[in-house]
């Protein structure tokens, strides 16, 4: 089990850690700031720095078999550290911050568009959500305006925890049909955007919607009888 520093503080760019194990899948640490691929958000990249200054590039981060287990996948041709080694763990913050901005933006998109979410993906600079909605019911310009209005309002974004029983009593909190919140550990992490959105999410987000910056709906695609894919990108 790894201490997940990013879960309490998504703005932590680095931490000290100890190498717990190394195998063909990757490197396990006792604590980490690296977010593992999950919930539509890609895993972090970055470096592990040894005491002698050697940098081990991390190309991807994935979940292990156990709860809260994180596997740091080293870049090809890198020499993995020895178990027990002390390392400084550093994420590629510029990339992670863009992913946090887009991830938070997709929560707002979810709030703007009525209908169940059937899938989604957070990308670097762009993202998309699939909605189970009929025909030509979506107005691209209206969604664009509503989304940017919520971003501009500078709404507070914060996690909070509830227990499994509370979540079971409020099934309306779960907007996504494809991603079930992880239950069974007794409590569930919710992400709340003040007055706009509240749903289970274990990803990383910015603290305020204004930090997302201007976005635009680039395309609404028809992906089946009741499936509409809404694509969004930063206006850089
Ligand atoms: Zn989220």
């Amino acid at each position: 089990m790894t201490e997940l520093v990013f879960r309490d503080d998504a703005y932590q760019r680095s931490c000290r850690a100890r190498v717990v194990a190394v195998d063909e899948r990757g490197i396990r640490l006792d604590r980490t700031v690296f977010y593992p691929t999950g919930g539509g958000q890609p895993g972090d990249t970055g470096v592990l720095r040894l005491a002698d200054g050697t940098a081990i590039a991390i190309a991807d981060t994935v979940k292990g078999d156990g709860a809260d287990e994180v596997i740091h996948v080293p870049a090809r041709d890198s020499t993995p550290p020895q178990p027990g080694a002390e390392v400084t763990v550093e994420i590629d913050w510029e990339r992670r911050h863009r992913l946090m901005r887009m991830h938070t933006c997709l929560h707002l998109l979810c709030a703007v568009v009525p209908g169940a979410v059937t899938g989604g993906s957070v990308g670097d600079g762009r993202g998309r959500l699939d909605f189970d909605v009929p025909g030509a019911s979506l107005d691209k310009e209206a969604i664009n305006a509503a989304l940017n209005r919520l971003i501009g309002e500078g709404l507070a974004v914060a996690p909070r925890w509830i227990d499994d029983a509370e979540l079971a009593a409020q099934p309306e909190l779960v907007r996504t049909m494809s991603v079930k919140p992880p239950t069974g550990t007794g409590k569930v992490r919710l992400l709340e955007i003040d007055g706009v959105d509240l749903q289970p999410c274990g990803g990383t987000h910015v603290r305020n919607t204004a930090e997302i910056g201007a976005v635009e709906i680039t395309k609404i695609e028809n992906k089946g009888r009741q499936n509409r894919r809404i694509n969004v990108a930063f206006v850089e």
Side-chain angles (χ1 to χ4, degrees):
M1 191 152 143
T2 317
E3 182 191 338
L4 309 179
V5 176
F6 58 83
R7 196 155 65 181
D8 295 319
D9 183 4
Y11 286 82
Q12 196 85 38
R13 304 173 189 202
S14 71
C15 69
R16 298 282 297 160
R18 194 171 49 78
V19 176
V20 171
V22 179
D23 63 18
E24 66 285 348
R25 294 175 70 189
I27 302 158
R28 289 168 180 76
L29 305 171
D30 62 346
R31 58 202 304 264
T32 191
V33 288
F34 279 68
Y35 178 82
T37 304
Q41 183 178 330
D44 280 321
T45 58
V47 293
L48 305 184
R49 232 174 269 285
L50 297 173
D52 67 3
T54 310
I56 300 156
I58 301 300
D60 195 10
T61 312
V62 295
K63 286 179 178 161
D65 301 325
D68 292 354
E69 192 181 326
V70 175
I71 299 176
H72 306 77
V73 181
R76 227 191 279 227
D77 302 331
S78 65
T79 307
Q82 294 297 316
E86 298 282 341
V87 291
T88 303
V89 186
E90 299 171 17
I91 53 170
D92 176 348
W93 170 250
E94 302 296 320
R95 174 177 179 272
R96 156 70 93 69
H97 189 239
R98 290 193 298 271
L99 294 173
M100 283 163 57
R101 287 164 58 209
M102 181 51 69
H103 186 138
T104 310
C105 173
L106 293 185
H107 278 270
L108 290 180
L109 181 59
C110 195
V112 164
V113 179
V117 175
T118 57
S121 169
V122 179
D124 190 350
R126 62 195 65 248
R128 59 178 167 79
L129 282 180
D130 291 352
F131 291 89
D132 182 17
V133 291
S137 61
L138 300 177
D139 179 337
K140 184 175 159 184
E141 291 314 313
I143 294 168
N144 203 50
L147 188 56
N148 280 291
R149 187 165 56 242
L150 289 175
I151 290 170
E153 282 176 9
L155 305 167
V157 180
R160 70 172 153 108
W161 295 85
I162 61 170
D163 62 36
D164 285 355
E166 285 176 84
L167 182 66
Q170 294 170 273
E172 70 277 8
L173 289 179
V174 184
R175 287 287 308 275
T176 52
M177 293 162 72
S178 58
V179 184
K180 291 278 171 279
T183 55
T185 56
K187 54 181 195 165
V188 176
R189 185 181 191 262
L190 298 182
L191 193 276
E192 181 166 36
I193 301 181
D194 193 22
V196 172
D197 186 50
L198 178 66
Q199 60 179 297
C201 187
T204 62
H205 313 85
V206 291
R207 296 187 186 107
N208 187 291
T209 60
E211 206 171 315
I212 297 168
V215 298
E216 72 172 323
I217 302 296
T218 51
K219 199 164 44 167
I220 298 180
E221 298 171 275
N222 192 341
K223 291 281 176 186
R225 201 168 62 84
Q226 285 238 323
N227 199 18
R228 298 293 173 275
R229 174 167 293 175
I230 304 182
N231 296 274
V232 60
F234 294 141
V235 178
E236 302 291 6

